[in-house]
Amino acid sequence: MRRTTAWLLSLATATGLTITLGSAAVAEPAVTAQPQAEAAAVGPQPGTFVGKGFDTCTAPSQSAMNAWRTSSPYRAVGIYISGASRTCAQPNLTATWVTNQTANGWRLIPIELGYQAPCGTRTPKMSADPGTARSQGRTAANSAANAARALGIGAGSTIYNDIEHYPTTTACRAAVLSFLSGWVEQLHTLGYLAGMYSSGSSGIRDVCLEYHNQSYTRLDQIWIAWWNGVADTDAGDYCSDAYYANHQRLHQYAGDVTETWGGVTMKIDRNYLDVSTSPQPPQQWSTTIDNTTAGRFTASANWSTSAYSSKRFGTDYRYANPTPASDVAWYRADVPETGTYEVSVWYPADPGYNDQTPYIVATTSGNRSVSVNQRVNGGQWTSIGVFTLAAGDGNKVGVSRWTGGSGYVVADAVRITRR
């Protein structure tokens, strides 16, 4: 879309089963309540739809939309709702405009155009540090969801993060995918689906290369910029047909074209959509809790704060010396229903950290302790197992200082996912 020129108490001695994970272990800002929009879109956007759409920098006038609705083959329109890189004025983009279009049968494609790849030329750039980039992704999700609500685009809609073409590298890919993970996780928390627009040769290829990598949270939909002139959702060699195959694709198949319908001329990009709101997100329920998540992390004054390691999740993490006493740093989660949940942990590995850090999981059958070697496998999500957790809001996962190992114990972030 080339716009300006061409987008996660204390504890008595832990009881129950103790598990040890060694060197081969398999490894959010609050949103303020928004006022109700006076007008609201008809249903989730773009919802379930197969057909042609277009996007253009500035939301067209009502008369232009009416003329194209009557005469053109298009039934979906991309709109730039938020983002610091959004440069076109949007005098028409109001809640009333949104309601009018959806009432007339248009499907809307909401777009956030903000942080760009750290290795690209566009600004503002996301951090090259994956932990910071993930935090920026969550911030972007909050901003985009607030903008969507203000326009009357409600929960269940998909918001697409526009990351323009970049010369991808391994390090740049890690930053972009970490950013998108934060974007997905926070939008899911807020009730929205999460998509991404990018060129096939950079963002789309990177996302599909890491499709099965559990260090990253998978998108709900991808929007492929590949100007091959074919109105379908194929991505060629950029992404396997087996990925994002369940009505989860949009294809921008031509760009910078001028068309006239009903006497109204506009410069647009052409798109083909095959999307649906019926598939659940890849993770039906998931929550990520960082040591900075407001109201969701508690630790005594014995736990210090550090931003020393670049492999951290978010801006910093907590650490403490081992001690033969109960002093647990707790992560609190509101689990929707009693059931089985996978618990994954994130920590920045270092030779000076503890090789037997005890993670405590509060299961329905009592506390279970899982020992993790925090000297290895850092800077990624590490699964410590699947557990039965009780429904309700409470301390679900903790990091204990009571260990037979040596070195600092670290509390950074945890992720709990319904299985």
Side-chain angles (χ1 to χ4, degrees), residues 218-236:
R218 193 177 296 166
L219 292 153
D220 298 306
Q221 297 174 13
I222 57 171
W223 188 352
I224 308 145
W226 181 30
W227 294 356
N228 65 344
V230 182
D232 60 17
T233 57
D234 184 45

Side-chain angles (χ1 to χ4, degrees), residues 54-400:
F54 74 93
D55 63 88
T56 190
C57 196
T58 299
S61 67
Q62 187 62 59
S63 59
M65 293 300 295
N66 291 343
W68 277 47
R69 179 66 178 86
T70 300
S71 305
S72 81
Y74 303 112
R75 293 296 178 266
V77 56
I79 52 172
Y80 291 84
I81 67 169
S82 59
S85 191
R86 184 178 65 151
T87 57
C88 288
Q90 300 292 346
N92 302 315
L93 190 53
T94 64
T96 299
W97 186 93
V98 164
T99 303
N100 289 340
Q101 307 329 309
T102 59
N104 287 341
W106 285 103
R107 304 303 183 101
L108 306 181
I109 311 171
I111 305 163
E112 152 92 1
L113 180 54
Y115 286 110
Q116 299 295 303
C119 56
T121 59
R122 296 287 300 263
T123 57
K125 296 183 180 184
M126 67 187 70
S127 174
D129 173 68
T132 303
R134 188 179 294 255
S135 179
Q136 290 172 329
R138 295 197 298 271
T139 299
N142 286 334
S143 174
N146 286 341
R149 288 192 188 104
L151 290 169
I153 301 171
S157 298
T158 308
I159 306 177
Y160 302 86
N161 199 300
D162 180 339
I163 299 179
E164 293 291 322
H165 176 81
Y166 56 92
T168 185
T169 63
T170 299
C172 194
R173 180 187 307 137
V176 170
L177 269 63
S178 295
F179 174 88
L180 289 171
S181 294
W183 166 259
V184 176
E185 291 158 3
Q186 188 66 0
L187 280 182
H188 284 183
T189 298
L190 301 173
Y192 288 86
L193 297 179
M196 177 198 65
Y197 166 95
S198 193
S199 63
S201 61
S202 57
I204 298 301
R205 186 190 294 280
D206 281 352
V207 163
C208 292
L209 279 172
E210 304 294 344
Y211 186 81
H212 293 295
N213 189 337
Q214 294 185 358
S215 295
Y216 306 116
T217 307
R218 193 177 296 166
L219 292 153
D220 298 306
Q221 297 174 13
I222 57 171
W223 188 352
I224 308 145
W226 181 30
W227 294 356
N228 65 344
V230 182
D232 60 17
T233 57
D234 184 45
D237 294 335
Y238 300 131
C239 187
S240 168
D241 291 342
Y243 302 159
Y244 301 101
N246 190 17
H247 308 288
Q248 295 172 281
R249 293 188 177 202
L250 307 83
H251 176 197
Q252 187 182 87
Y253 62 92
D256 288 337
V257 298
T258 300
E259 295 188 18
T260 301
W261 298 98
V264 176
T265 300
M266 287 193 278
K267 188 174 184 179
I268 65 165
D269 301 324
R270 297 170 179 159
N271 300 281
Y272 188 82
L273 297 77
D274 183 357
V275 293
S276 175
T277 58
S278 58
Q280 291 296 314
Q283 299 168 340
Q284 294 187 10
W285 180 87
S286 181
T287 186
T288 300
I289 310 156
D290 184 33
N291 65 286
T292 61
T293 304
R296 293 287 154 187
F297 178 84
T298 55
S300 74
N302 298 314
W303 290 82
S304 300
T305 301
S306 176
Y308 167 74
S309 176
S310 64
K311 299 297 185 180
R312 66 190 181 274
F313 185 103
T315 56
D316 56 42
Y317 54 96
R318 306 293 285 274
Y319 70 97
N321 282 307
T323 186
S326 176
D327 185 16
V328 177
W330 279 108
Y331 298 88
R332 185 181 185 94
D334 191 359
V335 173
E337 60 181 332
T338 299
T340 55
Y341 295 82
E342 181 179 20
V343 176
S344 299
V345 300
W346 185 294
Y347 55 88
D350 187 88
Y353 295 160
N354 204 281
D355 58 350
Q356 298 178 47
T357 297
Y359 282 86
I360 311 301
V361 183
T363 77
T364 55
S365 58
N367 293 321
R368 297 177 65 182
S369 178
V370 181
S371 180
V372 174
N373 182 355
Q374 290 189 328
R375 296 177 181 176
V376 297
N377 297 328
Q380 62 184 359
W381 285 114
T382 296
S383 175
I384 63 172
V386 176
F387 308 87
T388 302
L389 305 184
D393 195 1
N395 292 330
K396 304 298 183 182
V397 183
V399 183
S400 175

